[in-house]
Amino acid sequence: SMHVLANEVDKLSFYTLSHGRTEASEDDMKKVCISTDEYDAFAFANAVMNGQQQIALNILFDYKLRRVEPVIALGEISHVICDMAAIRAMTAEGASAAEISAITKYHEYRVGLFQKSLRGISEKRLHRALSLCVEADASIKNSSMGYMALEKLICGM
């Protein structure tokens, strides 16, 4: 989170200045900064797509602890899976990473990461993930399932 990072930079800056210095040391960082093990949407989607249920459930548990709304968590994973589907389709049509980058407005490096991740994911698995995202979306919006819908999505893969 950029907000967490900004707060830690501020804290480190004030600590350093309060000790009469203008340059922070590694020791200063260890004294005043917190470490964080936040996951991103790409890690979550990869865990789901690769059938790594325990990792995906751990990430979901982290989302619960941080009180991320289930619809936001689903939105993140759905966005990544939809991007995967689009990049797979463009790659299958023969588009280069540079061409895909120009179309999607993603950095070419990110497109390459998606393409690398997609090598181990079958077309059938990708379509199943999209279908499960649609089901989870309906469950979250039409009932009080919340995180249970996301757990169902993870276990359904």
Side-chain angles (χ1 to χ4, degrees):
S1 167
M2 293 305 290
H3 296 289
V4 172
L5 181 60
N7 288 334
E8 293 306 304
V9 168
D10 286 345
K11 189 173 18 172
L12 180 62
S13 298
F14 292 127
Y15 176 83
T16 304
L17 290 172
S18 73
H19 285 83
R21 295 179 281 123
T22 57
E23 190 171 313
S25 69
E26 185 175 341
D27 191 48
D28 293 335
M29 284 187 276
K30 289 179 183 176
K31 285 181 186 174
V32 300
C33 296
I34 61 166
S35 64
T36 181
D37 293 327
E38 290 183 1
Y39 299 97
D40 65 3
F42 195 72
F44 191 26
N46 274 340
V48 170
M49 295 301 301
N50 293 326
Q52 298 169 316
Q53 284 184 350
Q54 193 56 54
I55 293 170
L57 291 170
N58 288 344
I59 293 170
L60 185 60
F61 181 72
D62 178 64
Y63 279 17
K64 285 182 194 178
L65 288 178
R66 293 189 288 130
R67 294 190 174 124
V68 174
E69 288 291 324
V71 73
I72 301 222
L74 178 61
E76 289 179 357
I77 192 169
S78 297
H79 181 74
V80 172
I81 292 172
C82 287
D83 286 347
M84 287 176 149
I87 289 171
R88 175 184 290 267
M90 287 183 267
T91 300
E93 290 177 6
S96 68
E99 292 168 326
I100 295 170
S101 176
I103 293 167
T104 62
K105 305 296 185 224
Y106 287 147
H107 191 279
E108 197 171 330
Y109 176 76
R110 184 173 184 191
V111 171
L113 289 176
F114 274 109
Q115 288 175 323
K116 182 179 177 184
S117 179
L118 284 164
R119 287 186 195 120
I121 299 169
S122 70
E123 185 85 21
K124 183 178 177 182
R125 187 171 195 83
L126 187 58
H127 284 286
R128 172 106 175 111
L130 289 167
S131 295
L132 289 171
C133 284
V134 170
E135 289 175 24
D137 184 62
S139 294
I140 289 171
K141 292 177 180 172
N142 296 326
S143 70
S144 60
M145 283 190 70
Y147 279 101
M148 286 180 14
L150 293 171
E151 290 167 357
K152 185 178 175 185
L153 178 142
I154 291 167
C155 294
M157 287 298 296

